[in-house]
Amino acid sequence: MAQLKTTFAGIQLENPVIVSSSGLTDSAEKIKALEAAGAGAVVLKSVFEEQIGAESGHIQDSGLGADDYLQAYVRSHALNGHVSLVKEAKEGCSIPVIASINCYSDSEWVDFAGIMEEAGADALELNLLALQTSRNYEYGSFERRHVDILRHVKKVVRIPVIFKLGANLTNPVALADQLYANGAAGVVLFNRFFQPDIRTDSLTFAQTNVMSNPCELADRIRWTAIASAEVPQLDYAVSGGVHGGQGIVKSVLAGASAVEVCSVIYQRGNGVIGEMKEELSGWMDEHGYASLAEFKGKMNAWSTGDVNPFERTQFMKYYGSYGE
Ligand SMILES: Cc1cc2nc3c(=O)[nH]c(=O)nc-3n(C[C@H](O)[C@H](O)[C@H](O)COP(=O)(O)O)c2cc1C
């Protein structure tokens, strides 16, 4: 029987299926159920910088000089909920619990990272998902912000720090290299953006594609295959479009140590975790692999020979023959 153990960001996991940050991981009960269903680890629902800021920032000036105190109180109250979640999850489960912060500035999150570590989180996932839309955007500043946040967080925590990147970076490989140089233990490729749509009947805005589609996996495979070849010292997890055991196999072949999954669990329930693991171990048995390490990175960008399909961008050949 194939061995599914893996190491991601320096943490030992019984298997590579990490339930990613989402509403699936926002309570200790849900996390216990995910552990019972066979998850290898969980990433808790993110603490959003805007959310904490908004909860404490909406306090009106009372004129009594107590507003700073009140803001600090509300902020700490909002944070306490997340601290309790870490503590309860750690008390009730034995799988690793990764705390998640969605941040875009690098000030108070440093304190919060320390608080999460103290609460018992096994690792911290930083998630800097933001579109750069300013006309005055200075090229490279978004990437620098990742590194600045990481450096500040690394000054206060000892637990492994993982960076979950957005898919909108010009060169995730160079950023992964910078993150590794500044102490990151792992990188997740990639987070997904909220996708706005327009209703043509009512001319209002809607959201579309809240859940991912298996087609989204290809782009993750591309970048994992390139980044894991170029910056092999980092651990990688694929997130986005892993909807079955084959998705895990492809991710590991590309160089990932784990996958972070959520849409398929929303759609099919916790039982899908066991099915994915069975499909993975079935494939391993069929191909004679006893452990993930035996095929991890076997199909990365260094395995491709002279023509690297991962760096190909044009369709010329396919356009020419498509439909013939
Ligand atoms: C309903 C929902 C809520 C999510 N909330 C978060 C979140 O709080 N923090 C985060 O980093 N990612 C969040 N995500 C993104 C997922 O963690 C995951 O990276 C993404 O959906 C791709 O994985 P999938 O294809 O398995 O869904 C959320 C996704 C969904 C569908």
Side-chain angles (χ1 to χ4, degrees):
M1 178 74 178
Q3 172 66 258
L4 301 187
K5 280 187 199 301
T6 187
T7 302
F8 174 58
I11 307 170
Q12 306 283 332
L13 310 182
E14 282 302 310
N15 71 74
V17 183
I18 302 174
V19 181
S20 67
S21 180
S22 62
L24 296 170
T25 58
D26 66 1
S27 79
E29 285 65 39
K30 291 184 191 174
I31 293 166
K32 276 183 214 162
L34 290 166
E35 177 175 45
V42 290
V43 185
L44 302 182
K45 176 78 190 153
S46 299
V47 183
F48 283 83
E49 182 168 347
E50 291 124 308
Q51 176 196 346
I52 305 286
E55 281 179 36
S56 58
H58 78 272
I59 295 169
Q60 301 297 314
D61 185 353
S62 63
L64 298 173
D67 312 299
D68 286 350
Y69 169 77
L70 267 179
Q71 284 197 359
Y73 172 79
V74 172
R75 176 175 167 270
S76 94
H77 193 71
L79 292 181
N80 281 345
H82 291 277
V83 171
S84 307
L85 179 58
V86 176
K87 287 189 171 158
E88 287 167 19
K90 284 302 294 174
E91 274 161 22
C93 305
S94 57
I95 53 173
V97 172
I98 302 168
S100 165
I101 303 177
N102 178 294
C103 48
Y104 50 86
S105 62
D106 68 352
S107 51
E108 59 183 314
W109 298 101
V110 175
D111 305 344
F112 187 60
I115 294 170
M116 286 280 134
E117 178 175 55
E118 220 169 282
D122 294 290
L124 192 63
E125 187 172 283
L126 302 174
N127 151 20
L128 175 49
L129 188 64
L131 287 170
Q132 302 306 306
T133 57
S134 165
R135 282 176 55 192
N136 303 317
Y137 177 70
E138 185 198 329
Y139 293 110
S141 57
F142 185 50
E143 285 81 358
R144 268 201 305 281
R145 193 148 22 117
H146 287 71
V147 176
D148 288 345
I149 290 176
L150 174 66
R151 285 171 61 186
H152 289 127
V153 167
K154 282 293 294 178
K155 280 192 187 143
V156 296
V157 301
R158 285 164 181 268
I159 53 176
V161 181
I162 300 157
F163 232 113
K164 186 176 191 183
L165 304 181
N168 59 328
L169 294 155
T170 307
N171 182 343
V173 180
L175 181 56
D177 192 41
Q178 286 284 305
L179 294 174
Y180 171 67
N182 285 281
V187 162
V188 183
L189 303 173
F190 293 111
N191 210 335
R192 292 179 78 236
F193 287 104
F194 169 85
Q195 304 191 18
D197 197 7
I198 293 174
R199 291 192 194 93
T200 53
D201 50 357
S202 57
L203 301 196
T204 53
F205 294 105
Q207 59 176 338
T208 185
N209 301 329
V210 177
M211 298 300 151
S212 72
N213 181 302
C215 300
E216 295 174 28
L217 182 60
D219 197 42
R220 273 74 178 168
I221 296 293
R222 174 203 295 272
W223 285 110
T224 303
I226 300 172
S228 69
E230 292 292 328
V231 191
Q233 305 90 333
L234 264 179
D235 284 345
Y236 296 87
V238 163
S239 187
V242 176
H243 281 230
Q246 283 287 321
I248 309 176
V249 171
K250 291 178 192 179
S251 301
V252 176
L253 283 168
S257 306
V259 292
E260 292 196 1
V261 181
C262 97
S263 289
V264 75
I265 306 177
Y266 271 111
Q267 290 165 333
R268 297 186 42 210
N270 289 357
V272 75
I273 296 172
E275 290 171 28
M276 288 166 83
K277 284 162 55 183
E278 263 173 43
E279 198 180 337
L280 168 64
S281 62
W283 180 89
M284 288 169 67
D285 290 342
E286 200 181 313
H287 288 80
Y289 294 120
S291 71
L292 297 188
E294 289 175 21
F295 65 99
K296 185 176 136 190
K298 202 174 163 64
M299 300 288 287
N300 73 9
W302 281 347
S303 73
T304 54
D306 289 346
V307 183
N308 181 343
F310 296 117
E311 290 185 6
R312 213 191 144 105
T313 52
Q314 306 300 338
F315 279 93
M316 301 241 292
K317 181 176 152 205
Y318 299 98
Y319 282 145
S321 58
Y322 193 77
E324 281 172 7

PDB file of all heavy atoms in Angstrom, residues 54-86:
ATOM      1  N   ALA A  54     -12.168  47.399   9.766  1.00  0.00           N
ATOM      2  CA  ALA A  54     -13.524  47.953   9.676  1.00  0.00           C
ATOM      3  C   ALA A  54     -14.239  47.816  11.012  1.00  0.00           C
ATOM      4  O   ALA A  54     -14.922  48.740  11.461  1.00  0.00           O
ATOM      5  CB  ALA A  54     -14.308  47.234   8.598  1.00  0.00           C
ATOM      6  N   GLU A  55     -14.046  46.678  11.687  1.00  0.00           N
ATOM      7  CA  GLU A  55     -14.758  46.475  12.946  1.00  0.00           C
ATOM      8  C   GLU A  55     -14.304  47.472  13.995  1.00  0.00           C
ATOM      9  O   GLU A  55     -15.083  47.949  14.793  1.00  0.00           O
ATOM     10  CB  GLU A  55     -14.553  45.035  13.450  1.00  0.00           C
ATOM     11  CG  GLU A  55     -15.445  44.058  12.711  1.00  0.00           C
ATOM     12  CD  GLU A  55     -15.264  42.617  13.156  1.00  0.00           C
ATOM     13  OE1 GLU A  55     -15.042  42.387  14.348  1.00  0.00           O
ATOM     14  OE2 GLU A  55     -15.354  41.732  12.299  1.00  0.00           O
ATOM     15  N   SER A  56     -13.020  47.800  14.010  1.00  0.00           N
ATOM     16  CA  SER A  56     -12.552  48.743  15.010  1.00  0.00           C
ATOM     17  C   SER A  56     -12.625  50.180  14.488  1.00  0.00           C
ATOM     18  O   SER A  56     -12.828  51.112  15.248  1.00  0.00           O
ATOM     19  CB  SER A  56     -11.130  48.420  15.449  1.00  0.00           C
ATOM     20  OG  SER A  56     -10.268  48.438  14.351  1.00  0.00           O
ATOM     21  N   GLY A  57     -12.550  50.350  13.140  1.00  0.00           N
ATOM     22  CA  GLY A  57     -12.467  51.693  12.573  1.00  0.00           C
ATOM     23  C   GLY A  57     -13.795  52.428  12.519  1.00  0.00           C
ATOM     24  O   GLY A  57     -13.817  53.646  12.409  1.00  0.00           O
ATOM     25  N   HIS A  58     -14.943  51.717  12.617  1.00  0.00           N
ATOM     26  CA  HIS A  58     -16.215  52.409  12.443  1.00  0.00           C
ATOM     27  C   HIS A  58     -16.655  53.128  13.727  1.00  0.00           C
ATOM     28  O   HIS A  58     -17.658  53.822  13.741  1.00  0.00           O
ATOM     29  CB  HIS A  58     -17.305  51.430  11.971  1.00  0.00           C
ATOM     30  CG  HIS A  58     -17.851  50.570  13.063  1.00  0.00           C
ATOM     31  ND1 HIS A  58     -17.283  49.377  13.389  1.00  0.00           N
ATOM     32  CD2 HIS A  58     -18.886  50.757  13.921  1.00  0.00           C
ATOM     33  CE1 HIS A  58     -17.958  48.837  14.398  1.00  0.00           C
ATOM     34  NE2 HIS A  58     -18.928  49.654  14.737  1.00  0.00           N
ATOM     35  N   ILE A  59     -15.880  52.980  14.794  1.00  0.00           N
ATOM     36  CA  ILE A  59     -16.262  53.628  16.057  1.00  0.00           C
ATOM     37  C   ILE A  59     -16.179  55.150  15.890  1.00  0.00           C
ATOM     38  O   ILE A  59     -15.174  55.680  15.441  1.00  0.00           O
ATOM     39  CB  ILE A  59     -15.323  53.165  17.192  1.00  0.00           C
ATOM     40  CG1 ILE A  59     -15.546  51.679  17.420  1.00  0.00           C
ATOM     41  CG2 ILE A  59     -15.533  53.963  18.460  1.00  0.00           C
ATOM     42  CD1 ILE A  59     -14.514  51.051  18.300  1.00  0.00           C
ATOM     43  N   GLN A  60     -17.291  55.830  16.201  1.00  0.00           N
ATOM     44  CA  GLN A  60     -17.355  57.280  15.996  1.00  0.00           C
ATOM     45  C   GLN A  60     -16.624  58.011  17.124  1.00  0.00           C
ATOM     46  O   GLN A  60     -16.535  57.521  18.246  1.00  0.00           O
ATOM     47  CB  GLN A  60     -18.825  57.730  15.996  1.00  0.00           C
ATOM     48  CG  GLN A  60     -19.672  57.080  14.924  1.00  0.00           C
ATOM     49  CD  GLN A  60     -19.214  57.433  13.529  1.00  0.00           C
ATOM     50  OE1 GLN A  60     -18.961  58.598  13.248  1.00  0.00           O
ATOM     51  NE2 GLN A  60     -19.079  56.443  12.672  1.00  0.00           N
ATOM     52  N   ASP A  61     -16.144  59.193  16.782  1.00  0.00           N
ATOM     53  CA  ASP A  61     -15.490  60.018  17.799  1.00  0.00           C
ATOM     54  C   ASP A  61     -16.544  60.490  18.805  1.00  0.00           C
ATOM     55  O   ASP A  61     -17.458  61.236  18.470  1.00  0.00           O
ATOM     56  CB  ASP A  61     -14.836  61.222  17.106  1.00  0.00           C
ATOM     57  CG  ASP A  61     -14.034  62.053  18.088  1.00  0.00           C
ATOM     58  OD1 ASP A  61     -14.095  61.763  19.305  1.00  0.00           O
ATOM     59  OD2 ASP A  61     -13.356  62.976  17.621  1.00  0.00           O
ATOM     60  N   SER A  62     -16.443  60.060  20.034  1.00  0.00           N
ATOM     61  CA  SER A  62     -17.438  60.400  21.044  1.00  0.00           C
ATOM     62  C   SER A  62     -17.126  61.732  21.705  1.00  0.00           C
ATOM     63  O   SER A  62     -17.938  62.277  22.443  1.00  0.00           O
ATOM     64  CB  SER A  62     -17.449  59.316  22.122  1.00  0.00           C
ATOM     65  OG  SER A  62     -16.183  59.301  22.755  1.00  0.00           O
ATOM     66  N   GLY A  63     -15.928  62.232  21.462  1.00  0.00           N
ATOM     67  CA  GLY A  63     -15.533  63.480  22.113  1.00  0.00           C
ATOM     68  C   GLY A  63     -15.059  63.278  23.541  1.00  0.00           C
ATOM     69  O   GLY A  63     -14.687  64.232  24.213  1.00  0.00           O
ATOM     70  N   LEU A  64     -15.083  62.043  24.009  1.00  0.00           N
ATOM     71  CA  LEU A  64     -14.691  61.792  25.408  1.00  0.00           C
ATOM     72  C   LEU A  64     -13.246  61.283  25.516  1.00  0.00           C
ATOM     73  O   LEU A  64     -12.769  60.983  26.600  1.00  0.00           O
ATOM     74  CB  LEU A  64     -15.638  60.752  26.046  1.00  0.00           C
ATOM     75  CG  LEU A  64     -17.105  61.187  26.121  1.00  0.00           C
ATOM     76  CD1 LEU A  64     -17.965  60.025  26.613  1.00  0.00           C
ATOM     77  CD2 LEU A  64     -17.256  62.374  27.061  1.00  0.00           C
ATOM     78  N   GLY A  65     -12.599  61.171  24.359  1.00  0.00           N
ATOM     79  CA  GLY A  65     -11.198  60.765  24.398  1.00  0.00           C
ATOM     80  C   GLY A  65     -10.997  59.283  24.613  1.00  0.00           C
ATOM     81  O   GLY A  65      -9.880  58.833  24.876  1.00  0.00           O
ATOM     82  N   ALA A  66     -12.108  58.511  24.566  1.00  0.00           N
ATOM     83  CA  ALA A  66     -11.974  57.073  24.845  1.00  0.00           C
ATOM     84  C   ALA A  66     -11.911  56.251  23.561  1.00  0.00           C
ATOM     85  O   ALA A  66     -11.915  55.034  23.602  1.00  0.00           O
ATOM     86  CB  ALA A  66     -13.148  56.603  25.689  1.00  0.00           C
ATOM     87  N   ASP A  67     -11.892  56.943  22.401  1.00  0.00           N
ATOM     88  CA  ASP A  67     -12.039  56.208  21.142  1.00  0.00           C
ATOM     89  C   ASP A  67     -10.872  55.276  20.841  1.00  0.00           C
ATOM     90  O   ASP A  67     -11.068  54.170  20.353  1.00  0.00           O
ATOM     91  CB  ASP A  67     -12.225  57.210  20.003  1.00  0.00           C
ATOM     92  CG  ASP A  67     -13.277  58.217  20.394  1.00  0.00           C
ATOM     93  OD1 ASP A  67     -14.411  57.802  20.618  1.00  0.00           O
ATOM     94  OD2 ASP A  67     -12.924  59.393  20.544  1.00  0.00           O
ATOM     95  N   ASP A  68      -9.659  55.726  21.165  1.00  0.00           N
ATOM     96  CA  ASP A  68      -8.507  54.861  20.898  1.00  0.00           C
ATOM     97  C   ASP A  68      -8.637  53.585  21.709  1.00  0.00           C
ATOM     98  O   ASP A  68      -8.366  52.495  21.234  1.00  0.00           O
ATOM     99  CB  ASP A  68      -7.198  55.558  21.295  1.00  0.00           C
ATOM    100  CG  ASP A  68      -6.853  56.633  20.292  1.00  0.00           C
ATOM    101  OD1 ASP A  68      -7.517  56.667  19.241  1.00  0.00           O
ATOM    102  OD2 ASP A  68      -5.938  57.423  20.582  1.00  0.00           O
ATOM    103  N   TYR A  69      -9.091  53.767  22.948  1.00  0.00           N
ATOM    104  CA  TYR A  69      -9.254  52.613  23.821  1.00  0.00           C
ATOM    105  C   TYR A  69     -10.289  51.658  23.231  1.00  0.00           C
ATOM    106  O   TYR A  69     -10.086  50.455  23.151  1.00  0.00           O
ATOM    107  CB  TYR A  69      -9.674  53.091  25.222  1.00  0.00           C
ATOM    108  CG  TYR A  69     -10.106  51.954  26.108  1.00  0.00           C
ATOM    109  CD1 TYR A  69      -9.176  51.109  26.694  1.00  0.00           C
ATOM    110  CD2 TYR A  69     -11.464  51.718  26.326  1.00  0.00           C
ATOM    111  CE1 TYR A  69      -9.576  50.043  27.470  1.00  0.00           C
ATOM    112  CE2 TYR A  69     -11.873  50.653  27.102  1.00  0.00           C
ATOM    113  CZ  TYR A  69     -10.930  49.818  27.671  1.00  0.00           C
ATOM    114  OH  TYR A  69     -11.336  48.763  28.425  1.00  0.00           O
ATOM    115  N   LEU A  70     -11.437  52.273  22.796  1.00  0.00           N
ATOM    116  CA  LEU A  70     -12.519  51.454  22.237  1.00  0.00           C
ATOM    117  C   LEU A  70     -12.068  50.715  20.981  1.00  0.00           C
ATOM    118  O   LEU A  70     -12.356  49.547  20.796  1.00  0.00           O
ATOM    119  CB  LEU A  70     -13.705  52.350  21.876  1.00  0.00           C
ATOM    120  CG  LEU A  70     -14.770  52.493  22.950  1.00  0.00           C
ATOM    121  CD1 LEU A  70     -15.858  53.426  22.443  1.00  0.00           C
ATOM    122  CD2 LEU A  70     -15.355  51.131  23.304  1.00  0.00           C
ATOM    123  N   GLN A  71     -11.343  51.441  20.139  1.00  0.00           N
ATOM    124  CA  GLN A  71     -10.872  50.805  18.896  1.00  0.00           C
ATOM    125  C   GLN A  71      -9.966  49.634  19.222  1.00  0.00           C
ATOM    126  O   GLN A  71     -10.071  48.562  18.626  1.00  0.00           O
ATOM    127  CB  GLN A  71     -10.111  51.815  18.035  1.00  0.00           C
ATOM    128  CG  GLN A  71     -11.052  52.768  17.348  1.00  0.00           C
ATOM    129  CD  GLN A  71     -10.397  53.501  16.200  1.00  0.00           C
ATOM    130  OE1 GLN A  71      -9.233  53.311  15.923  1.00  0.00           O
ATOM    131  NE2 GLN A  71     -11.159  54.336  15.536  1.00  0.00           N
ATOM    132  N   ALA A  72      -9.082  49.859  20.196  1.00  0.00           N
ATOM    133  CA  ALA A  72      -8.170  48.778  20.580  1.00  0.00           C
ATOM    134  C   ALA A  72      -8.970  47.605  21.141  1.00  0.00           C
ATOM    135  O   ALA A  72      -8.672  46.437  20.859  1.00  0.00           O
ATOM    136  CB  ALA A  72      -7.168  49.274  21.612  1.00  0.00           C
ATOM    137  N   TYR A  73     -10.043  47.932  21.898  1.00  0.00           N
ATOM    138  CA  TYR A  73     -10.854  46.875  22.496  1.00  0.00           C
ATOM    139  C   TYR A  73     -11.539  46.046  21.395  1.00  0.00           C
ATOM    140  O   TYR A  73     -11.487  44.825  21.398  1.00  0.00           O
ATOM    141  CB  TYR A  73     -11.907  47.474  23.439  1.00  0.00           C
ATOM    142  CG  TYR A  73     -12.881  46.420  23.921  1.00  0.00           C
ATOM    143  CD1 TYR A  73     -12.526  45.544  24.939  1.00  0.00           C
ATOM    144  CD2 TYR A  73     -14.131  46.286  23.316  1.00  0.00           C
ATOM    145  CE1 TYR A  73     -13.394  44.545  25.349  1.00  0.00           C
ATOM    146  CE2 TYR A  73     -15.008  45.293  23.724  1.00  0.00           C
ATOM    147  CZ  TYR A  73     -14.631  44.423  24.742  1.00  0.00           C
ATOM    148  OH  TYR A  73     -15.487  43.434  25.121  1.00  0.00           O
ATOM    149  N   VAL A  74     -12.170  46.761  20.444  1.00  0.00           N
ATOM    150  CA  VAL A  74     -12.917  46.053  19.392  1.00  0.00           C
ATOM    151  C   VAL A  74     -11.957  45.225  18.542  1.00  0.00           C
ATOM    152  O   VAL A  74     -12.223  44.077  18.193  1.00  0.00           O
ATOM    153  CB  VAL A  74     -13.709  47.054  18.513  1.00  0.00           C
ATOM    154  CG1 VAL A  74     -14.316  46.350  17.313  1.00  0.00           C
ATOM    155  CG2 VAL A  74     -14.792  47.701  19.346  1.00  0.00           C
ATOM    156  N   ARG A  75     -10.800  45.812  18.261  1.00  0.00           N
ATOM    157  CA  ARG A  75      -9.818  45.086  17.448  1.00  0.00           C
ATOM    158  C   ARG A  75      -9.397  43.813  18.185  1.00  0.00           C
ATOM    159  O   ARG A  75      -9.373  42.726  17.620  1.00  0.00           O
ATOM    160  CB  ARG A  75      -8.608  45.989  17.192  1.00  0.00           C
ATOM    161  CG  ARG A  75      -7.513  45.304  16.442  1.00  0.00           C
ATOM    162  CD  ARG A  75      -6.397  46.277  16.099  1.00  0.00           C
ATOM    163  NE  ARG A  75      -5.242  45.537  15.661  1.00  0.00           N
ATOM    164  CZ  ARG A  75      -4.282  45.111  16.457  1.00  0.00           C
ATOM    165  NH1 ARG A  75      -4.340  45.374  17.746  1.00  0.00           N
ATOM    166  NH2 ARG A  75      -3.276  44.441  15.969  1.00  0.00           N
ATOM    167  N   SER A  76      -9.122  43.965  19.478  1.00  0.00           N
ATOM    168  CA  SER A  76      -8.648  42.777  20.188  1.00  0.00           C
ATOM    169  C   SER A  76      -9.768  41.753  20.327  1.00  0.00           C
ATOM    170  O   SER A  76      -9.541  40.555  20.280  1.00  0.00           O
ATOM    171  CB  SER A  76      -8.027  43.157  21.532  1.00  0.00           C
ATOM    172  OG  SER A  76      -8.969  43.066  22.541  1.00  0.00           O
ATOM    173  N   HIS A  77     -11.023  42.251  20.427  1.00  0.00           N
ATOM    174  CA  HIS A  77     -12.162  41.346  20.511  1.00  0.00           C
ATOM    175  C   HIS A  77     -12.282  40.548  19.200  1.00  0.00           C
ATOM    176  O   HIS A  77     -12.491  39.341  19.204  1.00  0.00           O
ATOM    177  CB  HIS A  77     -13.425  42.169  20.750  1.00  0.00           C
ATOM    178  CG  HIS A  77     -14.591  41.339  21.153  1.00  0.00           C
ATOM    179  ND1 HIS A  77     -14.672  40.742  22.390  1.00  0.00           N
ATOM    180  CD2 HIS A  77     -15.696  40.988  20.486  1.00  0.00           C
ATOM    181  CE1 HIS A  77     -15.800  40.065  22.458  1.00  0.00           C
ATOM    182  NE2 HIS A  77     -16.440  40.192  21.305  1.00  0.00           N
ATOM    183  N   ALA A  78     -12.137  41.270  18.079  1.00  0.00           N
ATOM    184  CA  ALA A  78     -12.241  40.617  16.771  1.00  0.00           C
ATOM    185  C   ALA A  78     -11.128  39.574  16.624  1.00  0.00           C
ATOM    186  O   ALA A  78     -11.350  38.477  16.112  1.00  0.00           O
ATOM    187  CB  ALA A  78     -12.142  41.660  15.664  1.00  0.00           C
ATOM    188  N   LEU A  79      -9.935  39.927  17.085  1.00  0.00           N
ATOM    189  CA  LEU A  79      -8.822  38.994  16.973  1.00  0.00           C
ATOM    190  C   LEU A  79      -9.002  37.797  17.898  1.00  0.00           C
ATOM    191  O   LEU A  79      -8.597  36.690  17.572  1.00  0.00           O
ATOM    192  CB  LEU A  79      -7.496  39.694  17.295  1.00  0.00           C
ATOM    193  CG  LEU A  79      -7.059  40.750  16.284  1.00  0.00           C
ATOM    194  CD1 LEU A  79      -5.723  41.353  16.689  1.00  0.00           C
ATOM    195  CD2 LEU A  79      -6.928  40.138  14.892  1.00  0.00           C
ATOM    196  N   ASN A  80      -9.635  38.031  19.062  1.00  0.00           N
ATOM    197  CA  ASN A  80      -9.811  36.933  20.022  1.00  0.00           C
ATOM    198  C   ASN A  80     -10.556  35.757  19.423  1.00  0.00           C
ATOM    199  O   ASN A  80     -10.268  34.611  19.761  1.00  0.00           O
ATOM    200  CB  ASN A  80     -10.566  37.422  21.265  1.00  0.00           C
ATOM    201  CG  ASN A  80      -9.624  38.177  22.181  1.00  0.00           C
ATOM    202  OD1 ASN A  80      -8.415  38.077  22.022  1.00  0.00           O
ATOM    203  ND2 ASN A  80     -10.174  38.938  23.114  1.00  0.00           N
ATOM    204  N   GLY A  81     -11.523  36.054  18.544  1.00  0.00           N
ATOM    205  CA  GLY A  81     -12.279  34.977  17.900  1.00  0.00           C
ATOM    206  C   GLY A  81     -11.339  34.054  17.136  1.00  0.00           C
ATOM    207  O   GLY A  81     -11.465  32.832  17.181  1.00  0.00           O
ATOM    208  N   HIS A  82     -10.373  34.658  16.456  1.00  0.00           N
ATOM    209  CA  HIS A  82      -9.433  33.853  15.671  1.00  0.00           C
ATOM    210  C   HIS A  82      -8.457  33.100  16.571  1.00  0.00           C
ATOM    211  O   HIS A  82      -8.083  31.965  16.291  1.00  0.00           O
ATOM    212  CB  HIS A  82      -8.677  34.746  14.692  1.00  0.00           C
ATOM    213  CG  HIS A  82      -9.575  35.260  13.608  1.00  0.00           C
ATOM    214  ND1 HIS A  82      -9.868  34.515  12.485  1.00  0.00           N
ATOM    215  CD2 HIS A  82     -10.262  36.404  13.503  1.00  0.00           C
ATOM    216  CE1 HIS A  82     -10.706  35.196  11.729  1.00  0.00           C
ATOM    217  NE2 HIS A  82     -10.958  36.348  12.323  1.00  0.00           N
ATOM    218  N   VAL A  83      -8.079  33.752  17.662  1.00  0.00           N
ATOM    219  CA  VAL A  83      -7.164  33.079  18.595  1.00  0.00           C
ATOM    220  C   VAL A  83      -7.871  31.855  19.190  1.00  0.00           C
ATOM    221  O   VAL A  83      -7.293  30.766  19.272  1.00  0.00           O
ATOM    222  CB  VAL A  83      -6.716  34.057  19.712  1.00  0.00           C
ATOM    223  CG1 VAL A  83      -5.951  33.318  20.803  1.00  0.00           C
ATOM    224  CG2 VAL A  83      -5.861  35.159  19.113  1.00  0.00           C
ATOM    225  N   SER A  84      -9.157  32.024  19.580  1.00  0.00           N
ATOM    226  CA  SER A  84      -9.906  30.889  20.143  1.00  0.00           C
ATOM    227  C   SER A  84     -10.005  29.764  19.123  1.00  0.00           C
ATOM    228  O   SER A  84      -9.915  28.593  19.488  1.00  0.00           O
ATOM    229  CB  SER A  84     -11.336  31.279  20.513  1.00  0.00           C
ATOM    230  OG  SER A  84     -11.319  32.380  21.320  1.00  0.00           O
ATOM    231  N   LEU A  85     -10.194  30.124  17.860  1.00  0.00           N
ATOM    232  CA  LEU A  85     -10.313  29.084  16.826  1.00  0.00           C
ATOM    233  C   LEU A  85      -9.032  28.246  16.765  1.00  0.00           C
ATOM    234  O   LEU A  85      -9.085  27.023  16.711  1.00  0.00           O
ATOM    235  CB  LEU A  85     -10.627  29.725  15.466  1.00  0.00           C
ATOM    236  CG  LEU A  85     -10.747  28.770  14.284  1.00  0.00           C
ATOM    237  CD1 LEU A  85     -11.822  27.712  14.521  1.00  0.00           C
ATOM    238  CD2 LEU A  85     -11.052  29.528  12.990  1.00  0.00           C
ATOM    239  N   VAL A  86      -7.890  28.923  16.797  1.00  0.00           N
ATOM    240  CA  VAL A  86      -6.617  28.180  16.774  1.00  0.00           C
ATOM    241  C   VAL A  86      -6.543  27.262  17.986  1.00  0.00           C
ATOM    242  O   VAL A  86      -6.250  26.069  17.865  1.00  0.00           O
ATOM    243  CB  VAL A  86      -5.396  29.134  16.797  1.00  0.00           C
ATOM    244  CG1 VAL A  86      -4.100  28.334  16.884  1.00  0.00           C
ATOM    245  CG2 VAL A  86      -5.378  30.015  15.570  1.00  0.00           C
TER     246      VAL A  86
END
